[in-house]
């Protein structure tokens, strides 16, 4: 059986769910999962994720015809994904290894359904850490003077080879040109203190202020620094007994967990983006 996913967005109106279900029925499909959301039943936006099975070999021409018919009849935007077609992922990292190692371990154990094409870094420090995973480790040293040239080289290397980029604590600000090449296909992770405790050593700043919670945010990258659509967030409590090392350890743990969830939801086509926001059918 072929598992197919439809991601649907359109103006809300009566009959949308029925029309989609009828199309799937005409194709001989069986719906296995279905989620929907509307911003307002009266004139809002409608979002839907539906997963169904088709007998092999799937008739992709017939599926395309039904998608075209729905698109024109209801003003829909429909993305079609086949679950068996795993997304190709490049992991970007600098000198902090925890998020990269966690993603690679989840990939190796089959927890994250993706094909990792390689690791990109602006430093060589973690090449030995990535070596046991038998992946290409490409180093592109980035300075203010070389940033444009190095990004162009990275884009050339990734061209046609990658469906998703994960910034696993990659400490570089991507240029608008780079971001435009992968719209809603670059996921970043950072602490959730922002806009407080900006700059370096955020956990040290937070420890000095005696914060009671710390957290992490995973979001799609846009031209606005750390202003892209949020996919996932989480927090952990801090007490007066926690020192700086405790904050860093707890922060690293929650960064790994939040990033892994965000990446999984993207891989499973559970995220729809609109107006710098997300609908996440998790």
């Amino acid at each position: 059986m072929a598992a197919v996913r439809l991601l649907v967005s359109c103006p809300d109106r009566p009959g949308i769910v029925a029309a989609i279900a009828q199309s799937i029925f005409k194709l001989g499909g069986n719906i296995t999962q279905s989620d929907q959301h509307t911003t307002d039943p009266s004139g809002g936006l409608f979002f839907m994720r539906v997963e169904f099975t088709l007998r092999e070999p799937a008739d992709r021409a017939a599926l395309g015809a039904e998608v075209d018919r729905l698109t024109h009849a209801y003003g829909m935007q429909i993305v079609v994904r086949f679950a068996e077609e795993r997304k190709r992922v490049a992991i970007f990292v600098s000198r902090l290894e925890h998020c990269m190692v966690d993603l690679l371990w989840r990939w190796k154990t089959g927890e994250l359904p993706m094909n990792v094409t390689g690791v990109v870094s602006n430093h060589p420090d973690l090449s030995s850490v990535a070596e046991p995973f038998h992946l290409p480790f490409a180093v592109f040293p980035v300075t203010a003077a070389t940033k444009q040239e190095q990004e162009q080289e990275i884009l050339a290397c990734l061209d046609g080879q990658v469906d998703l980029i994960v910034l696993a604590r990659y400490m570089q600000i991507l240029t608008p040109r780079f971001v435009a090449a992968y719209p809603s296909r670059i996921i970043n992770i950072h602490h959730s203190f922002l806009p407080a405790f900006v700059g370096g050593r955020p956990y040290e700043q937070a420890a000095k202020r005696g914060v009671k919670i710390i957290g992490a945010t995973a979001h799609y990258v846009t031209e606005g620094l750390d202003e892209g659509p949020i996919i996932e967030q989480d927090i952990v409590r801090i007490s007066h007994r926690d020192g700086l090392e405790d904050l860093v350890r707890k922060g690293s743990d929650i960064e790994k967990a939040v990033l892994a969830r965000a990446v999984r939801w993207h891989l499973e086509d559970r995220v729809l983006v609109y107006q710098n926001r997300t609908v996440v059918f998790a």
Side-chain angles (χ1 to χ4, degrees):
M1 304 292 283
V4 185
R5 299 164 183 159
L6 299 184
L7 296 179
V8 180
S9 58
C10 62
D12 201 0
R13 57 179 276 191
I16 295 174
V17 175
I20 293 172
Q22 182 62 30
S23 288
I24 293 172
F25 176 74
K26 286 172 58 179
L27 293 166
N30 180 42
I31 295 175
T32 55
Q33 290 186 32
S34 182
D35 292 282
Q36 63 194 68
H37 170 70
T38 180
T39 60
D40 185 346
S42 301
L45 295 174
F46 177 86
F47 303 93
M48 186 175 189
R49 178 190 185 272
V50 58
E51 187 165 333
F52 58 96
T53 57
L54 291 174
R55 293 188 181 277
E56 292 277 21
D59 189 341
R60 299 199 178 198
L63 174 59
E66 280 300 311
V67 167
D68 288 342
R69 186 183 66 80
L70 289 170
T71 297
H72 290 104
Y74 291 87
M76 294 180 180
Q77 293 182 337
I78 303 178
V79 176
V80 181
R81 304 287 191 200
F82 285 82
E84 65 184 19
E85 297 174 356
R86 293 193 170 196
K87 293 178 177 61
R88 301 163 298 174
V89 179
I91 297 175
F92 283 37
V93 68
S94 288
R95 288 191 167 111
L96 297 176
E97 66 187 57
H98 58 285
C99 286
M100 177 195 74
V101 172
D102 184 71
L103 289 173
L104 293 178
W105 181 253
R106 293 176 191 265
W107 163 60
K108 274 296 188 182
T109 58
E111 183 178 334
L112 289 176
M114 60 185 181
N115 293 328
V116 180
T117 61
V119 178
V120 172
S121 182
N122 55 325
H123 298 284
D125 304 45
L126 299 182
S127 60
S128 60
V129 179
E131 186 176 352
F133 296 95
H134 306 293
L135 289 168
F137 190 97
V139 180
F140 295 89
V142 177
T143 66
T146 66
K147 190 177 187 67
Q148 295 285 344
E149 179 183 348
Q150 293 289 63
E151 279 200 349
Q152 185 59 40
E153 288 192 28
I154 296 172
L155 285 172
C157 290
L158 299 182
D159 187 33
Q161 306 299 315
V162 169
D163 304 304
L164 174 68
I165 294 171
V166 181
L167 306 184
R169 297 308 304 268
Y170 181 64
M171 310 308 289
Q172 286 290 319
I173 299 174
L174 300 177
T175 64
R177 180 184 61 173
F178 194 106
V179 174
Y182 292 90
S184 298
R185 292 190 293 150
I186 305 175
I187 297 177
N188 187 32
I189 184 71
H190 58 70
H191 61 79
S192 287
F193 299 135
L194 298 174
F197 310 136
V198 296
R201 302 183 181 278
Y203 289 108
E204 184 174 328
Q205 298 179 57
K208 290 179 179 178
R209 285 289 303 275
V211 300
K212 302 308 179 189
I213 59 171
I214 60 174
T217 294
H219 64 91
Y220 288 119
V221 176
T222 59
E223 291 187 19
L225 179 60
D226 295 327
E227 294 181 358
I230 294 171
I231 306 170
E232 172 65 337
Q233 293 179 296
D234 206 348
I235 62 170
V236 62
R237 295 205 62 83
I238 299 298
S239 81
H240 58 277
R241 295 183 177 89
D242 289 314
L244 175 58
E245 289 185 0
D246 299 307
L247 265 69
V248 172
R249 173 177 53 82
K250 290 183 177 182
S252 296
D253 285 345
I254 202 163
E255 286 173 4
K256 291 185 291 186
V258 168
L259 181 59
R261 289 199 292 268
V263 170
R264 168 178 285 280
W265 295 337
H266 181 95
L267 295 173
E268 295 179 348
D269 305 304
R270 297 184 179 276
V271 187
L272 292 92
V273 178
Y274 78 104
Q275 297 175 357
N276 208 45
R277 299 177 63 181
T278 59
V279 173
V280 182
F281 291 123

